[in-house]
Amino acid sequence: MDLKSLVRDIPDFPKPGILFRDITTLLRDPEGLRYTIDFLAQKCNESGITADYVIGIESRGFIFGSPLAYKLGTGFIPVRKKGKLPAAVHSIEYELEYGMDCLEVHQDGLHQGSRVLIVDDLIATGGTASATAKLVQKIGCELVGFGFIIELRDLEGRKYLPDVPIISLIEY
């Protein structure tokens, strides 16, 4: 299946000069969505990735991470922006192009030694994925890989990620 044909390009969003890769058109296609999850699971298996948990990065990582966790037979853990989780959290601050941000995970969500696969819809500059990896490693978990639906290769985000398998289904 040609997944690229299911991704809509929106020029000048969210600001002039940006070409936004919109996955809502992929999500609304039942066959495309099913294929995406099945293909991502297949790629994880082919890469030898075995995880105890799939972490989904807020918010589109939740969309793909939850069904992938189901498919792989793992638990699912959400990583959220600051202040969105109700119980005690581990947190990490990280730098964005335009300032600072913070990611959090419940303290009882992950335990030292857990094997973790991090999933998001897209990798661009790698900042959020890198911060999530640092958070996971700070807790004492083993990072076993990353899964992305889209990779913007020109932005070289993967060079900021740890040396583990990195799966991307669509490259621009």
Side-chain angles (χ1 to χ4, degrees), residues 3-4 6-7 21-24 26-27 32-41 43-44 60-65 67-68 118-124 146-152 158 166-172:
L3 288 178
K4 265 188 183 180
L6 298 176
V7 176
R21 307 296 184 172
D22 180 20
I23 61 163
T24 61
L26 176 129
L27 294 172
L33 179 58
R34 186 173 22 260
Y35 178 83
T36 299
I37 299 303
D38 289 346
F39 192 39
L40 190 54
K43 290 291 191 185
C44 288
R60 291 178 301 258
F62 300 170
I63 296 169
F64 297 103
L68 180 64
I118 296 172
V119 173
D120 206 356
D121 68 319
L122 179 135
I123 179 170
F146 292 91
F148 303 103
I149 308 309
I150 297 172
E151 180 173 3
L152 304 179
R158 72 171 48 221
I166 301 170
I167 298 163
S168 55
L169 303 183
I170 304 169
E171 296 180 357
Y172 291 98

Side-chain angles (χ1 to χ4, degrees), residues 28 36 108 126:
R28 77 174 179 212
T36 299
D108 63 358

Side-chain angles (χ1 to χ4, degrees), residues 10-11 16-17 21 29 38 42 45 47 64 80 82 88 92 117 120 132 138 142-143 147 149 151 153 157 160 164:
I10 301 179
R21 307 296 184 172
D29 186 289
D38 289 346
Q42 175 189 329
N45 290 329
S47 296
F64 297 103
R80 309 256 357 232
K82 186 178 180 94
I92 190 163
L117 169 66
D120 206 356
T132 304
K138 179 175 126 176
E142 178 187 353
L143 178 63
I149 308 309
E151 180 173 3
R153 294 291 290 208
Y160 300 103
V164 295

Side-chain angles (χ1 to χ4, degrees), residues 125-136:
T125 61
T128 305
S130 176
T132 304
K134 289 175 184 165
L135 178 60
V136 163

Side-chain angles (χ1 to χ4, degrees), residues 58-120:
E58 185 169 343
S59 67
R60 291 178 301 258
F62 300 170
I63 296 169
F64 297 103
S66 295
L68 180 64
Y70 173 80
K71 188 88 174 161
L72 295 177
T74 71
F76 175 78
I77 307 290
V79 167
R80 309 256 357 232
K81 302 287 180 161
K82 186 178 180 94
K84 302 240 179 158
L85 292 171
V89 296
H90 294 289
S91 63
I92 190 163
E93 287 193 352
Y94 66 105
E95 209 170 320
L96 297 168
E97 304 83 46
Y98 49 85
M100 298 294 290
D101 210 344
C102 181
L103 295 172
E104 297 180 334
V105 65
H106 276 141
Q107 286 182 4
D108 63 358
L110 292 169
H111 304 286
Q112 195 169 7
S114 297
R115 295 169 303 169
V116 174
L117 169 66
I118 296 172
V119 173
D120 206 356

